[in-house]
Amino acid sequence: MGLLLKDKPTIGFIGFGQMGGAIAHAIHGAFDGYAILAVESNPARQEWMRSECSYVRPVAFSELFEQCHVIFLAIKPQQVSDLAQKVLPYLQSNHCLISMLAGVSYLSLTELFNPAQIVRIMPNTPAKLAKGVTGIYHDSNVSEQSKGLVIELCQSFGRVLVLDSDHDMDIITAMSGSGPAFFYRMVDAFVRFGVSSGLDDRVAKEAAINTMIGAGHMLLNDPNPQDQIQRVASPNGTTQAGLEMMDHQEFDTLMEKVLHRSYERAVELSKESLC
Ligand SMILES: NC(=O)c1ccc[n+]([C@@H]2O[C@H](COP(=O)([O-])OP(=O)(O)OC[C@H]3O[C@@H](n4cnc5c(N)ncnc54)[C@H](OP(=O)(O)O)[C@@H]3O)[C@@H](O)[C@H]2O)c1
């Protein structure tokens, strides 16, 4: 039995917007009976929390930091300095803050929230369906207990990848944080092709979306994309013709540029967060 299941800690949230709400929902579903407390400043989100999330108790910072050892930071990155000033009086070294703030570096977080332990995570939107990919990074100041807890909590909304450095977090931000949008663009192109070639919208969407899901499942069985491509493409066939056009249009170079630009932006944001 893991630490979480044994200890039943109270989980805290600061910010209960899109991601905070999705993650709290997954944790509530996986660990029924755990107390979840949240501080949310937006009146509309407070109302949503009250009406849709009866399992969450709205609290003030003083109670949150008194009751919770593990607290998710789920505010916008640009709100982090304001937040740090507000919560500084409550922070102790046994608090573990889990930041999901895109582009706020580990170093900035440790400086802003000293003396709390910091774990940086990068979830993605499929976390809403417990199908997320979440990168996790922390340094050696994080206790074994906090580490175990964070991993278990994040597993409730999908796969967890423990990373070796904050730099790896910038790569994961591009690949799996932004990644869903790149796959959606690909599906959108499929749908537009289907419709412009004569399919109705519903059929085109079903074909494109289920092809992507099916291909994803095939990759889970055999995670080698080159082998999977070989199995679909027969010599001189339709797939081969399409793949040759992808080569001709330098598709691999384009995707490399797309991911690299997204990664560069994550690095830029991390540097800006240090200013
Ligand atoms: N969406 C994604 O795909 C994704 C993926 C990975 C990570 N993330 C990260 O997740 C974080 C949250 O994103 P989101 O889309 O959930 O944002 P969001 O919907 O705007 O939610 C943030 C909420 O926090 C509230 N808030 C701000 N400052 C607060 C404070 N001091 N105390 C209490 N509540 C406060 C905000 O209220 P106001 O509206 O009044 O400011 C807002 O309701 C971001 O840092 C983002 O980088 C997002």
Side-chain angles (χ1 to χ4, degrees):
M1 187 179 275
L3 283 164
L4 251 183
L5 297 172
K6 184 160 61 71
D7 298 344
K8 282 204 168 192
T10 300
I11 313 296
F13 281 82
I14 299 178
F16 211 78
Q18 297 303 321
M19 284 308 280
I23 284 173
H25 187 70
I27 290 172
H28 172 68
F31 305 107
D32 191 22
Y34 281 32
I36 298 181
L37 308 185
V39 180
E40 166 58 60
S41 58
N42 184 306
R45 288 307 283 185
Q46 286 172 354
E47 181 49 40
W48 178 80
M49 198 163 86
R50 258 190 296 274
S51 60
E52 303 293 324
C53 310
S54 53
Y55 56 88
V56 179
R57 192 155 63 82
V59 290
F61 284 130
S62 53
E63 188 173 358
L64 188 89
F65 282 95
E66 198 182 294
Q67 301 281 330
C68 304
H69 158 63
V70 169
I71 298 165
F72 284 89
L73 301 185
I75 56 170
K76 291 284 189 208
Q78 58 272 25
Q79 298 168 320
V80 70
S81 302
D82 276 358
L83 175 73
Q85 286 188 351
K86 285 184 185 141
V87 303
L88 218 50
Y90 308 106
L91 291 175
Q92 291 179 2
S93 58
N94 66 337
H95 287 127
C96 177
L97 303 186
I98 308 171
S99 166
M100 64 186 75
L101 280 54
V104 180
S105 70
Y106 196 82
L107 186 59
S108 303
L109 292 163
T110 52
E111 285 175 357
L112 283 167
F113 296 102
N114 180 43
Q117 300 165 45
I118 302 292
V119 177
R120 196 177 161 200
I121 67 170
M122 179 47 59
N124 62 5
T125 49
K128 290 178 186 174
L129 306 173
K131 297 280 183 200
V133 172
T134 300
I136 295 186
Y137 173 69
H138 59 80
D139 67 9
S140 55
N141 292 326
V142 174
S143 70
E144 284 299 313
Q145 190 192 22
S146 300
K147 197 184 344 180
L149 266 156
V150 175
I151 290 175
E152 248 184 296
L153 288 171
C154 292
Q155 282 170 339
S156 73
F157 43 91
R159 300 234 165 206
V160 168
L161 304 171
V162 179
L163 306 175
D164 291 334
S165 68
D166 205 30
H167 166 257
D168 288 359
M169 191 61 90
D170 293 328
I171 305 172
I172 284 293
T173 300
M175 288 181 65
S176 57
S178 301
F182 306 144
F183 285 111
Y184 299 147
R185 270 294 272 273
M186 187 105 176
V187 169
D188 195 41
F190 272 53
V191 173
R192 276 185 285 112
F193 162 77
V195 170
S196 68
S197 306
L199 293 181
D200 74 43
D201 189 64
R202 185 189 56 82
V203 173
K205 279 192 178 130
E206 278 205 29
I209 293 166
N210 288 294
T211 300
M212 182 181 66
I213 293 169
H217 281 291
M218 291 296 281
L219 283 167
L220 286 176
N221 271 350
D222 174 359
N224 189 337
Q226 290 299 335
D227 288 352
Q228 296 287 8
I229 289 170
Q230 291 306 317
R231 284 183 202 119
V232 185
S234 48
N236 218 16
T238 58
T239 310
Q240 189 63 43
L243 289 169
E244 282 168 8
M245 184 54 80
M246 286 175 117
D247 290 341
H248 183 68
Q249 298 288 333
E250 301 191 11
F251 177 81
D252 293 357
T253 310
L254 173 67
M255 283 314 299
E256 164 92 36
K257 283 183 181 164
V258 167
L259 289 162
H260 195 262
R261 181 60 202 124
S262 181
Y263 155 78
E264 262 180 355
R265 185 67 193 130
V267 173
E268 284 164 15
L269 289 170
S270 295
K271 285 193 183 137
E272 284 167 23
S273 77
L274 285 170
C275 300

